[in-house]
Amino acid sequence: MGHHHATAAPGFMLHLPQTDHRRTTRMRAFHVLLGLSILLLTSLAYADSPYHAITQGQVAYTEHPTDQPPLSGWQETGLPFSGSARQTTGTFWFRFPVEALPADQRDSLYVAHHVFDITVYLNGHRVGSTERLDGLESTGWNHPFYTAIPALFWQETGNQLLVRIRSGEPNAVLSPVFLGAQTALQTHYQQAVRQKIHIAEWSMITCLIMGGLTLFIWLLRRKDRLYLYFSLLCFSWSVVMFYLAIPFAPFDHGSWLRFAFYCVDLSGFFLFMFLYELMKLERPRLKFTAIIAVLLSAVLLFSMPMHLHSLVITLVHGMHLALVVYLLVIGTRIAIRKRSRELLVLIPGFLIIAALVLHDIYAFQVAARQPGGLPEGTYMQYGFAVLLILMFIHLVRTFVRALNSSETLNSQLEKRVAEVSASLEQSYAENHALALHNHAQQERQKVYRDLHDDVGAKLLSILHSRAEDEKSLLAREALSSLRETVNQSTRDVIPLNELVSNTLSETENRLAHARIPFEAPVSGNTPDLPADPKKAYHLSRILRELTSNIIKHANQGPVRLHCEASHHTLALTLQDNGPG
């Protein structure tokens, strides 16, 4: 990006000494092998087109912007033209006599490069211009200029073409002017716009989308700085593409140019950090050197005099290019030694980009030795965009693999938790059953002792009883106590529903023998849960004692026993119509 003595390709540009013709031949052969020679279509193929090329004329410079050509100071010049780095505040005027031009070559005008604003006059009539009403500077080095020429502007003889170029930092540039048929020149113009501008626009949009997505992923995965470095790389490169895509400078062009150059260096720095993180290197000095280089480039770029910008750009771009190439060499060794598929896939792409950068450096070095020279067929902007897409695909695949691995681990963890939970539940059930068994054994011993006291007392009462009915009742109670004791001793745990059923049956039988009506409504279903042996035993004895008291004292009936089971609670309510 830039003008005479500036780099136009957005990459790590620096100027090297001119090489010999053999090196030029080898470089061109290398381009063919890379399959990128098709991009040479950015230059005009005029061999078969009806056109007239203007390469000779006169030029004059005014120290201040003016709308009228000067009356003196005209000098012979050729195109392409490049102004001095000290002539940045005024206006360059070019005049070209146009005679004996065929009618089919008078339809339109085309200029491949112009820096900065261009205005074209034919015989005093304004034909076209890139000047903006808002006063912003147009940057036409990457934007070709095309305009149709009305037929009525032409004269029979004495036609004169005037071109006005507003100068600015770093210098003014004008490439050859072509007059020709609209069908030919407009086709070349549209082709140049597609290859230079539309590709830059789509590259900028793609970089913004990829940068936004990877920044979002990084916000979710703060520890993985690969996504952060890649997003910053995309954002910095999108600024470079923005510089290529827009036809004007959003602020002072000298500052805008410096900022665009610095974004190139930022792209190199974040590319370096991406590779450093990808290779998992632990070389603090190398990382510190890269940080110092990017800080130094900012100081140099924004403090440099414009007439030294070629030297400064060579220095700052060269530092980052050297660091990236050095890291690529390390990465290649690591990829071969560890047989890393990821590095083996990405490293060749980085090496190709480095080769494209060297090509563009060489192309600019050759072009810079010619007046107004701007190279055609620079490849860096295309290759770097493709590389960013490949890096983005790699990051997306890495993220998907990590996500799949996380889901697999989560599934395995859930399965393991289920297995442990089942094991714990089984262990709890076994421990609970063991506790109930031990408790039942303790209760069994207590029952044996109670049996001795209870049954013995009732038998003694039978011996001393005078009434036959009372003897019969006492005998039945003794027999029931004996049966209950035997039943409790043979079973560790009795279900709650069975306990209730047995208790109701016993109470009903005893009251029936005493000729007392009995009702036992049950609310809800009694759950089939294991009853605590101790509580079950005491419940039976309490209910039996209450029944005995009713038989002895109430003897009027009816008796109601209400049973309600809910929320792991059993409630028994016994009512009679006796006195008291």
mmCIF file of all heavy atoms in Angstrom, residues 509-551:
data_model
loop_
_atom_site.group_PDB
_atom_site.id
_atom_site.type_symbol
_atom_site.label_atom_id
_atom_site.label_comp_id
_atom_site.label_asym_id
_atom_site.label_seq_id
_atom_site.Cartn_x
_atom_site.Cartn_y
_atom_site.Cartn_z
ATOM 1 N N ASN A 509 -61.807 -60.397 66.337
ATOM 2 C CA ASN A 509 -62.095 -61.725 66.924
ATOM 3 C C ASN A 509 -62.353 -61.609 68.420
ATOM 4 O O ASN A 509 -63.300 -62.236 68.969
ATOM 5 C CB ASN A 509 -60.934 -62.660 66.653
ATOM 6 C CG ASN A 509 -60.837 -63.058 65.192
ATOM 7 O OD1 ASN A 509 -61.843 -63.035 64.474
ATOM 8 N ND2 ASN A 509 -59.620 -63.399 64.731
ATOM 9 N N ARG A 510 -61.559 -60.849 69.122
ATOM 10 C CA ARG A 510 -61.726 -60.727 70.576
ATOM 11 C C ARG A 510 -63.044 -60.048 70.903
ATOM 12 O O ARG A 510 -63.756 -60.466 71.841
ATOM 13 C CB ARG A 510 -60.564 -59.924 71.166
ATOM 14 C CG ARG A 510 -59.219 -60.655 71.075
ATOM 15 C CD ARG A 510 -58.149 -59.838 71.753
ATOM 16 N NE ARG A 510 -58.424 -59.740 73.206
ATOM 17 C CZ ARG A 510 -57.812 -58.873 74.019
ATOM 18 N NH1 ARG A 510 -56.904 -58.041 73.523
ATOM 19 N NH2 ARG A 510 -58.116 -58.837 75.309
ATOM 20 N N LEU A 511 -63.397 -59.012 70.171
ATOM 21 C CA LEU A 511 -64.648 -58.323 70.438
ATOM 22 C C LEU A 511 -65.839 -59.178 70.042
ATOM 23 O O LEU A 511 -66.917 -59.088 70.664
ATOM 24 C CB LEU A 511 -64.678 -56.986 69.708
ATOM 25 C CG LEU A 511 -63.692 -55.921 70.204
ATOM 26 C CD1 LEU A 511 -63.744 -54.685 69.301
ATOM 27 C CD2 LEU A 511 -63.995 -55.520 71.645
ATOM 28 N N ALA A 512 -65.686 -60.003 69.028
ATOM 29 C CA ALA A 512 -66.782 -60.876 68.605
ATOM 30 C C ALA A 512 -67.104 -61.911 69.686
ATOM 31 O O ALA A 512 -68.281 -62.209 69.955
ATOM 32 C CB ALA A 512 -66.422 -61.563 67.295
ATOM 33 N N HIS A 513 -66.053 -62.460 70.290
ATOM 34 C CA HIS A 513 -66.292 -63.417 71.372
ATOM 35 C C HIS A 513 -66.940 -62.729 72.576
ATOM 36 O O HIS A 513 -67.664 -63.371 73.360
ATOM 37 C CB HIS A 513 -64.972 -64.058 71.813
ATOM 38 C CG HIS A 513 -64.486 -65.105 70.843
ATOM 39 N ND1 HIS A 513 -63.678 -64.811 69.776
ATOM 40 C CD2 HIS A 513 -64.718 -66.439 70.788
ATOM 41 C CE1 HIS A 513 -63.417 -65.901 69.108
ATOM 42 N NE2 HIS A 513 -64.048 -66.955 69.704
ATOM 43 N N ALA A 514 -66.692 -61.433 72.754
ATOM 44 C CA ALA A 514 -67.311 -60.695 73.852
ATOM 45 C C ALA A 514 -68.663 -60.117 73.459
ATOM 46 O O ALA A 514 -69.256 -59.354 74.220
ATOM 47 C CB ALA A 514 -66.397 -59.581 74.304
ATOM 48 N N ARG A 515 -69.164 -60.465 72.227
ATOM 49 C CA ARG A 515 -70.447 -60.011 71.714
ATOM 50 C C ARG A 515 -70.529 -58.471 71.668
ATOM 51 O O ARG A 515 -71.548 -57.860 72.008
ATOM 52 C CB ARG A 515 -71.597 -60.591 72.539
ATOM 53 C CG ARG A 515 -71.676 -62.111 72.481
ATOM 54 C CD ARG A 515 -72.862 -62.608 73.303
ATOM 55 N NE ARG A 515 -72.929 -64.046 73.253
ATOM 56 C CZ ARG A 515 -72.268 -64.869 74.082
ATOM 57 N NH1 ARG A 515 -71.451 -64.360 74.988
ATOM 58 N NH2 ARG A 515 -72.398 -66.170 73.987
ATOM 59 N N ILE A 516 -69.451 -57.875 71.235
ATOM 60 C CA ILE A 516 -69.405 -56.412 71.090
ATOM 61 C C ILE A 516 -69.237 -56.101 69.598
ATOM 62 O O ILE A 516 -68.297 -56.587 68.947
ATOM 63 C CB ILE A 516 -68.244 -55.795 71.883
ATOM 64 C CG1 ILE A 516 -68.423 -56.089 73.380
ATOM 65 C CG2 ILE A 516 -68.149 -54.290 71.621
ATOM 66 C CD1 ILE A 516 -67.254 -55.609 74.220
ATOM 67 N N PRO A 517 -70.179 -55.299 69.017
ATOM 68 C CA PRO A 517 -70.027 -54.945 67.578
ATOM 69 C C PRO A 517 -68.716 -54.184 67.334
ATOM 70 O O PRO A 517 -68.281 -53.401 68.167
ATOM 71 C CB PRO A 517 -71.244 -54.071 67.310
ATOM 72 C CG PRO A 517 -72.219 -54.378 68.411
ATOM 73 C CD PRO A 517 -71.413 -54.746 69.618
ATOM 74 N N PHE A 518 -68.181 -54.423 66.163
ATOM 75 C CA PHE A 518 -66.870 -53.822 65.826
ATOM 76 C C PHE A 518 -66.902 -53.287 64.394
ATOM 77 O O PHE A 518 -67.364 -53.971 63.469
ATOM 78 C CB PHE A 518 -65.754 -54.867 65.980
ATOM 79 C CG PHE A 518 -64.402 -54.350 65.592
ATOM 80 C CD1 PHE A 518 -63.752 -53.394 66.361
ATOM 81 C CD2 PHE A 518 -63.773 -54.817 64.429
ATOM 82 C CE1 PHE A 518 -62.507 -52.933 65.993
ATOM 83 C CE2 PHE A 518 -62.535 -54.360 64.080
ATOM 84 C CZ PHE A 518 -61.889 -53.401 64.863
ATOM 85 N N GLU A 519 -66.441 -52.081 64.232
ATOM 86 C CA GLU A 519 -66.315 -51.444 62.910
ATOM 87 C C GLU A 519 -64.881 -50.934 62.755
ATOM 88 O O GLU A 519 -64.343 -50.358 63.701
ATOM 89 C CB GLU A 519 -67.281 -50.271 62.766
ATOM 90 C CG GLU A 519 -68.739 -50.663 62.875
ATOM 91 C CD GLU A 519 -69.658 -49.451 62.836
ATOM 92 O OE1 GLU A 519 -69.101 -48.321 62.701
ATOM 93 O OE2 GLU A 519 -70.876 -49.615 62.935
ATOM 94 N N ALA A 520 -64.320 -51.159 61.556
ATOM 95 C CA ALA A 520 -62.912 -50.757 61.320
ATOM 96 C C ALA A 520 -62.743 -50.143 59.925
ATOM 97 O O ALA A 520 -62.237 -50.782 59.002
ATOM 98 C CB ALA A 520 -61.997 -51.955 61.484
ATOM 99 N N PRO A 521 -63.203 -48.891 59.714
ATOM 100 C CA PRO A 521 -62.956 -48.213 58.416
ATOM 101 C C PRO A 521 -61.481 -47.837 58.263
ATOM 102 O O PRO A 521 -60.841 -47.405 59.224
ATOM 103 C CB PRO A 521 -63.833 -46.966 58.504
ATOM 104 C CG PRO A 521 -63.956 -46.686 59.964
ATOM 105 C CD PRO A 521 -63.958 -48.038 60.657
ATOM 106 N N VAL A 522 -60.982 -48.017 57.055
ATOM 107 C CA VAL A 522 -59.570 -47.721 56.749
ATOM 108 C C VAL A 522 -59.520 -46.606 55.705
ATOM 109 O O VAL A 522 -60.160 -46.705 54.659
ATOM 110 C CB VAL A 522 -58.816 -48.963 56.239
ATOM 111 C CG1 VAL A 522 -57.369 -48.610 55.934
ATOM 112 C CG2 VAL A 522 -58.896 -50.081 57.268
ATOM 113 N N SER A 523 -58.763 -45.524 55.974
ATOM 114 C CA SER A 523 -58.610 -44.397 55.020
ATOM 115 C C SER A 523 -57.285 -44.552 54.280
ATOM 116 O O SER A 523 -56.219 -44.525 54.906
ATOM 117 C CB SER A 523 -58.647 -43.052 55.767
ATOM 118 O OG SER A 523 -59.886 -42.881 56.407
ATOM 119 N N GLY A 524 -57.386 -44.660 52.941
ATOM 120 C CA GLY A 524 -56.167 -44.791 52.141
ATOM 121 C C GLY A 524 -55.637 -46.215 52.147
ATOM 122 O O GLY A 524 -56.080 -47.081 52.910
ATOM 123 N N ASN A 525 -54.691 -46.432 51.252
ATOM 124 C CA ASN A 525 -54.050 -47.737 51.153
ATOM 125 C C ASN A 525 -52.841 -47.777 52.062
ATOM 126 O O ASN A 525 -51.980 -46.913 52.016
ATOM 127 C CB ASN A 525 -53.627 -48.021 49.706
ATOM 128 C CG ASN A 525 -54.831 -48.089 48.772
ATOM 129 O OD1 ASN A 525 -55.891 -48.585 49.172
ATOM 130 N ND2 ASN A 525 -54.666 -47.578 47.552
ATOM 131 N N THR A 526 -52.810 -48.801 52.877
ATOM 132 C CA THR A 526 -51.658 -48.944 53.761
ATOM 133 C C THR A 526 -50.454 -49.358 52.937
ATOM 134 O O THR A 526 -50.521 -50.362 52.209
ATOM 135 C CB THR A 526 -51.938 -49.995 54.844
ATOM 136 O OG1 THR A 526 -53.151 -49.639 55.524
ATOM 137 C CG2 THR A 526 -50.795 -50.057 55.838
ATOM 138 N N PRO A 527 -49.340 -48.601 52.981
ATOM 139 C CA PRO A 527 -48.181 -48.933 52.135
ATOM 140 C C PRO A 527 -47.516 -50.245 52.544
ATOM 141 O O PRO A 527 -47.547 -50.637 53.714
ATOM 142 C CB PRO A 527 -47.247 -47.737 52.361
ATOM 143 C CG PRO A 527 -47.643 -47.184 53.686
ATOM 144 C CD PRO A 527 -49.115 -47.415 53.817
ATOM 145 N N ASP A 528 -46.929 -50.871 51.546
ATOM 146 C CA ASP A 528 -46.218 -52.140 51.778
ATOM 147 C C ASP A 528 -44.774 -51.827 52.128
ATOM 148 O O ASP A 528 -43.845 -52.087 51.347
ATOM 149 C CB ASP A 528 -46.318 -53.011 50.532
ATOM 150 C CG ASP A 528 -45.687 -54.381 50.756
ATOM 151 O OD1 ASP A 528 -45.419 -54.721 51.926
ATOM 152 O OD2 ASP A 528 -45.454 -55.092 49.758
ATOM 153 N N LEU A 529 -44.584 -51.238 53.290
ATOM 154 C CA LEU A 529 -43.267 -50.852 53.747
ATOM 155 C C LEU A 529 -42.878 -51.655 54.971
ATOM 156 O O LEU A 529 -43.751 -52.059 55.763
ATOM 157 C CB LEU A 529 -43.244 -49.353 54.090
ATOM 158 C CG LEU A 529 -43.525 -48.381 52.936
ATOM 159 C CD1 LEU A 529 -43.585 -46.954 53.466
ATOM 160 C CD2 LEU A 529 -42.444 -48.514 51.872
ATOM 161 N N PRO A 530 -41.584 -51.879 55.168
ATOM 162 C CA PRO A 530 -41.174 -52.639 56.354
ATOM 163 C C PRO A 530 -41.401 -51.818 57.623
ATOM 164 O O PRO A 530 -41.023 -50.651 57.699
ATOM 165 C CB PRO A 530 -39.686 -52.893 56.109
ATOM 166 C CG PRO A 530 -39.267 -51.821 55.170
ATOM 167 C CD PRO A 530 -40.451 -51.557 54.304
ATOM 168 N N ALA A 531 -42.064 -52.443 58.608
ATOM 169 C CA ALA A 531 -42.339 -51.774 59.884
ATOM 170 C C ALA A 531 -41.212 -52.058 60.864
ATOM 171 O O ALA A 531 -40.646 -53.150 60.887
ATOM 172 C CB ALA A 531 -43.668 -52.258 60.448
ATOM 173 N N ASP A 532 -40.912 -51.031 61.624
ATOM 174 C CA ASP A 532 -39.887 -51.205 62.647
ATOM 175 C C ASP A 532 -40.365 -52.270 63.645
ATOM 176 O O ASP A 532 -41.455 -52.155 64.209
ATOM 177 C CB ASP A 532 -39.652 -49.865 63.349
ATOM 178 C CG ASP A 532 -38.520 -49.954 64.352
ATOM 179 O OD1 ASP A 532 -38.780 -50.347 65.491
ATOM 180 O OD2 ASP A 532 -37.389 -49.597 63.965
ATOM 181 N N PRO A 533 -39.569 -53.317 63.877
ATOM 182 C CA PRO A 533 -40.021 -54.415 64.755
ATOM 183 C C PRO A 533 -40.407 -53.938 66.152
ATOM 184 O O PRO A 533 -41.404 -54.404 66.723
ATOM 185 C CB PRO A 533 -38.809 -55.349 64.784
ATOM 186 C CG PRO A 533 -38.075 -55.054 63.540
ATOM 187 C CD PRO A 533 -38.276 -53.608 63.275
ATOM 188 N N LYS A 534 -39.649 -53.031 66.692
ATOM 189 C CA LYS A 534 -39.930 -52.558 68.041
ATOM 190 C C LYS A 534 -41.253 -51.815 68.084
ATOM 191 O O LYS A 534 -42.104 -52.049 68.979
ATOM 192 C CB LYS A 534 -38.792 -51.659 68.500
ATOM 193 C CG LYS A 534 -38.944 -51.156 69.926
ATOM 194 C CD LYS A 534 -37.724 -50.335 70.329
ATOM 195 C CE LYS A 534 -37.868 -49.839 71.777
ATOM 196 N NZ LYS A 534 -36.675 -49.053 72.192
ATOM 197 N N LYS A 535 -41.456 -50.915 67.120
ATOM 198 C CA LYS A 535 -42.700 -50.156 67.083
ATOM 199 C C LYS A 535 -43.885 -51.059 66.783
ATOM 200 O O LYS A 535 -44.994 -50.871 67.334
ATOM 201 C CB LYS A 535 -42.596 -49.043 66.045
ATOM 202 C CG LYS A 535 -41.568 -47.976 66.398
ATOM 203 C CD LYS A 535 -41.507 -46.894 65.320
ATOM 204 C CE LYS A 535 -40.474 -45.828 65.685
ATOM 205 N NZ LYS A 535 -40.378 -44.784 64.667
ATOM 206 N N ALA A 536 -43.707 -52.037 65.924
ATOM 207 C CA ALA A 536 -44.790 -52.967 65.600
ATOM 208 C C ALA A 536 -45.213 -53.774 66.832
ATOM 209 O O ALA A 536 -46.407 -53.993 67.090
ATOM 210 C CB ALA A 536 -44.348 -53.902 64.483
ATOM 211 N N TYR A 537 -44.252 -54.185 67.596
ATOM 212 C CA TYR A 537 -44.550 -54.970 68.802
ATOM 213 C C TYR A 537 -45.322 -54.130 69.810
ATOM 214 O O TYR A 537 -46.329 -54.559 70.367
ATOM 215 C CB TYR A 537 -43.247 -55.480 69.399
ATOM 216 C CG TYR A 537 -43.432 -56.195 70.730
ATOM 217 C CD1 TYR A 537 -43.986 -57.470 70.785
ATOM 218 C CD2 TYR A 537 -43.052 -55.577 71.914
ATOM 219 C CE1 TYR A 537 -44.155 -58.117 71.988
ATOM 220 C CE2 TYR A 537 -43.215 -56.209 73.123
ATOM 221 C CZ TYR A 537 -43.764 -57.477 73.166
ATOM 222 O OH TYR A 537 -43.930 -58.117 74.361
ATOM 223 N N HIS A 538 -44.864 -52.905 70.049
ATOM 224 C CA HIS A 538 -45.540 -52.044 71.018
ATOM 225 C C HIS A 538 -46.927 -51.655 70.536
ATOM 226 O O HIS A 538 -47.864 -51.540 71.358
ATOM 227 C CB HIS A 538 -44.706 -50.794 71.280
ATOM 228 C CG HIS A 538 -43.460 -51.048 72.069
ATOM 229 N ND1 HIS A 538 -43.479 -51.622 73.321
ATOM 230 C CD2 HIS A 538 -42.142 -50.835 71.781
ATOM 231 C CE1 HIS A 538 -42.258 -51.738 73.792
ATOM 232 N NE2 HIS A 538 -41.406 -51.273 72.852
ATOM 233 N N LEU A 539 -47.097 -51.460 69.221
ATOM 234 C CA LEU A 539 -48.416 -51.133 68.687
ATOM 235 C C LEU A 539 -49.399 -52.268 68.954
ATOM 236 O O LEU A 539 -50.550 -52.044 69.367
ATOM 237 C CB LEU A 539 -48.300 -50.840 67.188
ATOM 238 C CG LEU A 539 -49.622 -50.544 66.469
ATOM 239 C CD1 LEU A 539 -50.244 -49.266 67.022
ATOM 240 C CD2 LEU A 539 -49.400 -50.426 64.961
ATOM 241 N N SER A 540 -48.967 -53.489 68.745
ATOM 242 C CA SER A 540 -49.843 -54.647 68.977
ATOM 243 C C SER A 540 -50.230 -54.751 70.441
ATOM 244 O O SER A 540 -51.405 -55.000 70.787
ATOM 245 C CB SER A 540 -49.143 -55.927 68.526
ATOM 246 O OG SER A 540 -48.856 -55.877 67.161
ATOM 247 N N ARG A 541 -49.306 -54.549 71.317
ATOM 248 C CA ARG A 541 -49.583 -54.686 72.743
ATOM 249 C C ARG A 541 -50.496 -53.557 73.222
ATOM 250 O O ARG A 541 -51.390 -53.776 74.053
ATOM 251 C CB ARG A 541 -48.274 -54.692 73.530
ATOM 252 C CG ARG A 541 -47.465 -55.964 73.306
ATOM 253 C CD ARG A 541 -46.284 -56.039 74.254
ATOM 254 N NE ARG A 541 -46.736 -56.099 75.646
ATOM 255 C CZ ARG A 541 -47.135 -57.207 76.262
ATOM 256 N NH1 ARG A 541 -47.148 -58.365 75.600
ATOM 257 N NH2 ARG A 541 -47.520 -57.184 77.532
ATOM 258 N N ILE A 542 -50.251 -52.338 72.728
ATOM 259 C CA ILE A 542 -51.111 -51.222 73.136
ATOM 260 C C ILE A 542 -52.541 -51.457 72.688
ATOM 261 O O ILE A 542 -53.512 -51.273 73.461
ATOM 262 C CB ILE A 542 -50.574 -49.897 72.569
ATOM 263 C CG1 ILE A 542 -49.250 -49.534 73.241
ATOM 264 C CG2 ILE A 542 -51.576 -48.758 72.729
ATOM 265 C CD1 ILE A 542 -48.535 -48.370 72.594
ATOM 266 N N LEU A 543 -52.725 -51.877 71.453
ATOM 267 C CA LEU A 543 -54.071 -52.116 70.934
ATOM 268 C C LEU A 543 -54.735 -53.281 71.665
ATOM 269 O O LEU A 543 -55.944 -53.275 71.947
ATOM 270 C CB LEU A 543 -53.992 -52.380 69.426
ATOM 271 C CG LEU A 543 -55.333 -52.332 68.677
ATOM 272 C CD1 LEU A 543 -55.984 -50.957 68.858
ATOM 273 C CD2 LEU A 543 -55.129 -52.618 67.200
ATOM 274 N N ARG A 544 -53.980 -54.288 72.007
ATOM 275 C CA ARG A 544 -54.529 -55.442 72.749
ATOM 276 C C ARG A 544 -54.971 -55.014 74.156
ATOM 277 O O ARG A 544 -56.027 -55.429 74.654
ATOM 278 C CB ARG A 544 -53.489 -56.555 72.838
ATOM 279 C CG ARG A 544 -54.042 -57.831 73.475
ATOM 280 C CD ARG A 544 -52.994 -58.940 73.524
ATOM 281 N NE ARG A 544 -52.561 -59.291 72.175
ATOM 282 C CZ ARG A 544 -51.339 -59.037 71.706
ATOM 283 N NH1 ARG A 544 -50.457 -58.414 72.470
ATOM 284 N NH2 ARG A 544 -51.022 -59.380 70.487
ATOM 285 N N GLU A 545 -54.181 -54.157 74.786
ATOM 286 C CA GLU A 545 -54.536 -53.698 76.120
ATOM 287 C C GLU A 545 -55.789 -52.840 76.092
ATOM 288 O O GLU A 545 -56.673 -52.943 76.961
ATOM 289 C CB GLU A 545 -53.365 -52.919 76.721
ATOM 290 C CG GLU A 545 -53.577 -52.461 78.148
ATOM 291 C CD GLU A 545 -53.657 -53.644 79.111
ATOM 292 O OE1 GLU A 545 -53.124 -54.722 78.792
ATOM 293 O OE2 GLU A 545 -54.267 -53.483 80.183
ATOM 294 N N LEU A 546 -55.893 -51.964 75.061
ATOM 295 C CA LEU A 546 -57.094 -51.158 74.920
ATOM 296 C C LEU A 546 -58.324 -52.025 74.682
ATOM 297 O O LEU A 546 -59.410 -51.778 75.249
ATOM 298 C CB LEU A 546 -56.924 -50.178 73.752
ATOM 299 C CG LEU A 546 -55.916 -49.040 73.958
ATOM 300 C CD1 LEU A 546 -55.752 -48.246 72.662
ATOM 301 C CD2 LEU A 546 -56.377 -48.116 75.082
ATOM 302 N N THR A 547 -58.163 -53.062 73.876
ATOM 303 C CA THR A 547 -59.284 -53.977 73.627
ATOM 304 C C THR A 547 -59.699 -54.691 74.912
ATOM 305 O O THR A 547 -60.892 -54.870 75.200
ATOM 306 C CB THR A 547 -58.886 -54.988 72.553
ATOM 307 O OG1 THR A 547 -58.475 -54.290 71.381
ATOM 308 C CG2 THR A 547 -60.055 -55.880 72.189
ATOM 309 N N SER A 548 -58.721 -55.088 75.684
ATOM 310 C CA SER A 548 -59.029 -55.765 76.953
ATOM 311 C C SER A 548 -59.805 -54.840 77.875
ATOM 312 O O SER A 548 -60.762 -55.254 78.551
ATOM 313 C CB SER A 548 -57.732 -56.211 77.621
ATOM 314 O OG SER A 548 -57.052 -57.148 76.812
ATOM 315 N N ASN A 549 -59.415 -53.567 77.965
ATOM 316 C CA ASN A 549 -60.126 -52.617 78.814
ATOM 317 C C ASN A 549 -61.553 -52.409 78.348
ATOM 318 O O ASN A 549 -62.481 -52.269 79.176
ATOM 319 C CB ASN A 549 -59.388 -51.290 78.836
ATOM 320 C CG ASN A 549 -58.067 -51.373 79.565
ATOM 321 O OD1 ASN A 549 -57.878 -52.258 80.410
ATOM 322 N ND2 ASN A 549 -57.147 -50.463 79.242
ATOM 323 N N ILE A 550 -61.780 -52.388 77.033
ATOM 324 C CA ILE A 550 -63.141 -52.222 76.510
ATOM 325 C C ILE A 550 -63.993 -53.417 76.884
ATOM 326 O O ILE A 550 -65.160 -53.280 77.298
ATOM 327 C CB ILE A 550 -63.097 -52.035 74.977
ATOM 328 C CG1 ILE A 550 -62.466 -50.676 74.626
ATOM 329 C CG2 ILE A 550 -64.485 -52.118 74.374
ATOM 330 C CD1 ILE A 550 -62.224 -50.477 73.153
ATOM 331 N N ILE A 551 -63.416 -54.618 76.751
ATOM 332 C CA ILE A 551 -64.197 -55.829 77.074
ATOM 333 C C ILE A 551 -64.566 -55.866 78.556
ATOM 334 O O ILE A 551 -65.673 -56.247 78.946
ATOM 335 C CB ILE A 551 -63.412 -57.080 76.681
ATOM 336 C CG1 ILE A 551 -63.266 -57.149 75.146
ATOM 337 C CG2 ILE A 551 -64.071 -58.349 77.185
ATOM 338 C CD1 ILE A 551 -62.363 -58.255 74.681
#
